[in-house]
Amino acid sequence: QMFRGELSVNQVLKAGGAQPEGQFYAELYAGLYLEAVGDTKRALQHIRNAAGDRYSGSGYMHDVARVHRDRLTRRPGSARP
């Protein structure tokens, strides 16, 4: 729904709820969305959150978040960790 313009990033983050798995996916997809619309600085913030140790039990998607975080931080002009 966020990618269709029906929900804001804040609404998605709120919909992540209180459970770590929901919060992880909300952070990850918020970051991916923000990157897609060109807001790399905010995207990196959410991708870093998703890649954090707090969500290490999120399976292979946590690895995806970590790889994506590392790729974003190596971009010219990006915010460094």
Side-chain angles (χ1 to χ4, degrees):
Q1 291 173 322
M2 178 176 52
F3 283 87
R4 289 192 306 251
E6 297 171 2
L7 289 177
S8 70
V9 169
N10 287 337
Q11 288 172 311
V12 169
L13 292 171
K14 185 176 178 180
Q19 298 299 316
E21 184 177 19
Q23 293 170 353
F24 166 76
Y25 281 102
E27 291 283 3
L28 178 61
Y29 287 111
L32 295 174
Y33 171 80
L34 289 165
E35 182 184 14
V37 299
D39 192 343
T40 306
K41 184 177 179 179
R42 285 180 57 212
L44 184 55
Q45 174 187 351
H46 290 289
I47 295 293
R48 280 182 178 149
N49 290 344
D53 291 340
R54 176 173 186 224
Y55 301 119
S56 62
S58 297
Y60 77 93
M61 288 302 288
H62 185 255
D63 292 333
V64 169
R66 289 176 41 228
V67 168
H68 200 73
R69 175 205 57 207
D70 294 346
R71 186 183 64 78
L72 284 175
T73 57
R74 284 192 294 270
R75 278 189 180 173
S78 68
R80 296 288 174 200

